[in-house]
Amino acid sequence: MLSQNDNYTLMNKNSLLNIANFLCQFYKVLIAIAIIITTTIFIHFQFDKDSYKEWKIEQPESDSPIRYETTDVVGENPIGDQKLKLSDWRFLSLYFSYLKFIAILILNYLIITQFGKVLKSVRELKTFHQTNVEAFRKIGYYCLLITGLSTFNYWAFNEYTKTSFSVSINVLLLSLIAFILAEIFKEGNNLMEENQLTI
Amino acid sequence: MPIIINLDKILEERGMKSNELAEKIGITTANLSILKTGKAKAVRFSTLESICEALDCQPGDILEYTKN
């Protein structure tokens, strides 16, 4: 029979957990880099709009295959070479999009951090501790916040404006799954405590 | 909980210390403390058997039921 120490060593050597842990760290670094680059460009754009005259952007496509969307478009929808010019981006829409994007990135970072904590606890054989219940609940709330933030899109350029409301079902489903996992881990925590308090 | 553990009383009667009993029945002093303070949620028959054997008593001497 394996002792607690043997199990701990096995969990530490578990390659699946190690890969997941590495991916978490890697994704966190990517998000941090994305935040820094976006903020740098955003600040520089305020001072020197002319440098971005040739920069063109595409409208973001729907990030979720399952979503509900209503759109209101004013102006001609640019296609092909006539992509939207970054320098034409209106002040309010620019700030709104920047803040929304950064908030979603930060929420993604927090979700990965919470998931990393769960992975760490599994490696330390503390899978059904109360901290994991709280971690999954937080992940659920963060996903709800992301859904809320992604609901309204406002793209305003000099000759083209698009406002849309959309609900991303994918993130909502993730939120639901996180809350269900929190309940499962809560039940596991109750069983673990009962087992620990059986003498 | 209406179930009271009278381990302290029996230990005193037998002139035995907690750590001595813990060693005899093969559980940690921390677990014995959980049992004595009434924080335990359940007691295994094997543990009860070991306690009765070590203290030369009956389960009824250790466990007592009182109405709330």
Side-chain angles (χ1 to χ4, degrees):
Chain A
M1 215 171 120
L2 292 172
S3 70
Q4 179 95 352
N5 273 341
D6 292 334
N7 276 329
Y8 184 75
T9 317
L10 273 180
M11 276 299 192
N12 261 328
K13 284 180 181 170
N14 189 319
S15 52
L16 190 69
L17 284 176
N18 286 337
I19 291 169
N21 193 43
F22 171 76
L23 285 176
C24 276
Q25 299 302 326
F26 181 67
Y27 193 47
K28 274 165 79 172
V29 172
L30 278 186
I31 292 173
I33 291 170
I35 290 174
I36 293 167
I37 290 174
T38 312
T39 309
T40 311
I41 293 174
F42 177 74
I43 293 168
H44 187 246
F45 184 76
Q46 313 293 313
F47 297 108
D48 189 11
K49 262 192 173 182
D50 291 338
S51 305
Y52 297 90
K53 261 184 180 172
E54 298 305 314
W55 286 42
K56 288 174 181 175
I57 55 167
E58 279 185 69
Q59 290 179 74
E61 295 294 325
S62 302
D63 61 343
S64 159
I66 314 164
R67 61 195 282 132
Y68 170 74
E69 192 172 64
T70 56
T71 313
D72 182 25
V73 180
V74 178
E76 207 171 313
N77 200 346
I79 40 160
D81 295 336
Q82 294 174 313
K83 286 175 186 169
L84 298 163
K85 274 187 184 174
L86 195 67
S87 51
D88 287 346
W89 208 340
R90 281 192 210 152
F91 182 78
L92 188 67
S93 168
L94 173 72
Y95 269 73
F96 175 77
S97 300
Y98 166 75
L99 291 174
K100 195 178 94 171
F101 183 64
I102 292 296
I104 289 173
L105 280 182
I106 291 171
L107 285 168
N108 271 307
Y109 187 90
L110 292 173
I111 288 172
I112 301 293
T113 306
Q114 291 302 325
F115 193 66
K117 279 185 191 172
V118 174
L119 285 178
K120 194 182 167 211
S121 74
V122 174
R123 283 156 69 106
E124 289 172 356
L125 298 176
K126 291 174 182 170
T127 313
F128 291 110
H129 272 223
Q130 186 63 27
T131 48
N132 282 352
V133 179
E134 281 151 22
F136 277 114
R137 279 208 188 116
K138 279 182 186 169
I139 290 174
Y141 286 124
Y142 294 149
C143 286
L144 274 184
L145 271 174
I146 289 176
T147 311
L149 282 169
S150 329
T151 305
F152 182 66
N153 294 305
Y154 175 54
W155 288 81
F157 292 79
N158 281 345
E159 287 163 359
Y160 176 75
T161 306
K162 180 186 173 187
T163 44
S164 67
F165 285 94
S166 59
V167 179
S168 175
I169 310 289
N170 278 7
V171 188
L172 262 183
L173 271 177
L174 268 181
S175 165
L176 186 69
I177 289 168
F179 283 126
I180 290 171
L181 278 174
E183 286 306 306
I184 291 170
F185 272 70
K186 192 180 160 193
E187 194 58 40
N189 180 254
N190 286 340
L191 289 171
M192 188 200 73
E193 276 182 359
E194 204 167 285
N195 188 42
Q196 275 179 348
L197 291 174
T198 298
I199 312 298
Chain B
M1 211 162 76
I3 301 287
I4 296 168
I5 311 281
N6 287 322
L7 253 182
D8 274 334
K9 203 172 110 188
I10 306 286
L11 278 172
E12 205 182 311
E13 279 174 16
R14 303 288 189 273
M16 199 187 280
K17 285 182 178 171
S18 291
N19 52 357
E20 207 179 320
L21 176 68
E23 202 176 312
K24 265 189 175 179
I25 61 176
I27 63 169
T28 61
T29 45
N31 275 346
L32 189 65
S33 171
I34 289 170
L35 189 62
K36 274 166 51 181
T37 50
K39 285 177 186 165
K41 288 198 175 181
V43 183
R44 287 192 189 93
F45 278 136
S46 56
T47 313
L48 195 58
E49 188 187 322
S50 305
I51 293 171
C52 289
E53 199 182 326
L55 295 172
D56 190 24
C57 64
Q58 291 298 314
D61 299 331
I62 306 162
L63 303 171
E64 186 189 333
Y65 170 75
T66 49
K67 279 189 177 173
N68 271 333

